[in-house]
Amino acid sequence: MDCHNQEEHSRPQEEEDIMDIPLDDPEANRAAAKIQAGFRGHMTRKKMKPEDKAEGEERQEDRGQ
Amino acid sequence: MAPKKDPRAPIKKAEPAAAPAAAPAPAPAPAPAPKARPVDLSAVKAFGLFDRVGDNKVAYNQIADIMRALGQNPTNKDVNKLLGSPSAEEMANKRVTFEGFLPMLQTIINSPNKAGYEDYVEGLRVFDKEGNGTVMGAELRIVLSTLGEKLNEAEIDALMAGQEDENGCINYEAFVKHIMSV
């Protein structure tokens, strides 16, 4: 994945950060998974909110993303 | 000493079966279990919202989202375990009734390691290079898309919308509060 070729903006920091990401660290992965779970929960609830009021009225698009 | 009837001794005739002990007042409801928030009612509602087929069932691959709609934050791994590590085909095609779903929901509700505010903040603090309460939005994007249960780009965009300041930094304590407000 040539990340450094994709962006025209000079973001050298991002390259460093890529090196820094502890891809194999089980604890970092576990922490990330917990955070992601919280985020997914939040996003689902946010998406549900207008539907709650409309009681399914707004179910025009499939939520099968 | 004429024998006199003792007026105090009640003459016990056959009493009609009036229940002396039980008061006619309505019995008070048993003390509600603190963790029994009205999940069941909203669970029924949420479950119904997700049933697109009309067979009073939902697909395996909807279970996690119904739980999230009900305020839980299961990892996909948690849910897969509950479902018995289904194949992709089963995830899409196997369906479960509300009765089947409820104990799964209960397991998640009762799970001991639920993350709270502190956990999220601590988790994000790991990426706070300068220890100043902020993380780079760009770095967070990378972490969320490469570690753990990767988020896709659309999810990350939705999540981060409006969260980065003009320097591309995110105050993660505020971020977590925002996340937890829904």
Side-chain angles (χ1 to χ4, degrees):
Chain A
M1 205 158 64
D2 284 326
C3 288
H4 62 276
N5 274 338
Q6 277 179 8
E7 307 282 356
E8 290 295 20
H9 315 122
S10 49
R11 277 201 278 179
Q13 217 175 349
E14 211 172 292
E15 287 185 44
E16 277 178 44
D17 296 339
I18 293 177
M19 307 299 223
D20 261 359
I21 303 289
L23 287 172
D24 295 325
D25 179 358
E27 230 178 275
N29 276 293
R30 235 185 333 256
K34 253 186 174 169
I35 295 170
Q36 286 151 337
F39 290 169
R40 285 191 162 101
H42 162 82
M43 290 190 286
T44 302
R45 289 186 283 277
K46 208 163 125 188
K47 254 198 289 189
M48 298 287 294
K49 265 188 153 182
E51 289 207 358
D52 228 354
K53 293 181 193 150
E55 285 271 320
E57 252 179 60
E58 296 197 291
R59 277 197 295 181
Q60 42 193 347
E61 40 173 318
D62 242 340
R63 236 187 288 113
Q65 274 173 311
Chain B
M1 289 35 133
K4 56 183 179 194
K5 289 183 204 155
D6 185 353
R8 284 178 295 173
I11 300 169
K12 277 200 172 155
K13 300 202 175 155
E15 280 180 4
K35 78 182 157 204
R37 315 186 279 162
V39 165
D40 283 2
L41 286 182
S42 40
V44 173
K45 182 177 170 196
F47 192 86
L49 279 179
F50 278 78
D51 171 13
R52 301 304 190 82
V53 172
D55 61 350
N56 294 320
K57 296 181 187 169
V58 298
Y60 271 20
N61 62 13
Q62 295 175 289
I63 298 287
D65 272 348
I66 306 178
M67 294 179 172
R68 289 169 183 137
L70 292 169
Q72 300 302 306
N73 298 314
T75 60
N76 292 332
K77 184 169 153 197
D78 290 335
V79 177
N80 280 347
K81 209 155 78 164
L82 274 177
L83 295 173
S85 303
S87 64
E89 197 265 330
E90 289 173 317
M91 278 299 268
N93 295 324
K94 263 185 127 167
R95 297 177 73 73
V96 60
T97 61
F98 185 70
E99 287 71 31
F101 165 71
L102 258 189
M104 296 182 193
L105 176 65
Q106 206 57 53
T107 302
I108 294 299
I109 290 176
N110 295 340
S111 65
N113 284 331
K114 298 205 316 198
Y117 173 81
E118 284 304 329
D119 299 286
Y120 295 126
V121 170
E122 284 309 308
L124 290 170
R125 185 166 285 136
V126 170
F127 305 103
D128 178 3
K129 295 257 160 69
E130 296 167 35
N132 60 3
T134 66
V135 292
M136 290 293 301
E139 183 167 359
L140 187 55
R141 279 190 154 82
I142 295 175
V143 169
L144 295 175
S145 59
T146 58
L147 288 183
E149 295 184 347
K150 306 169 187 182
L151 294 179
N152 65 37
E153 206 175 316
E155 291 173 310
I156 294 178
D157 283 342
L159 177 65
M160 313 257 288
Q163 298 300 314
E164 291 161 283
D165 67 15
E166 61 274 7
N167 297 320
C169 295
I170 297 181
N171 174 315
Y172 50 89
E173 285 192 79
F175 186 43
V176 172
K177 284 190 181 128
H178 161 75
I179 297 300
M180 295 192 71
S181 66
V182 180

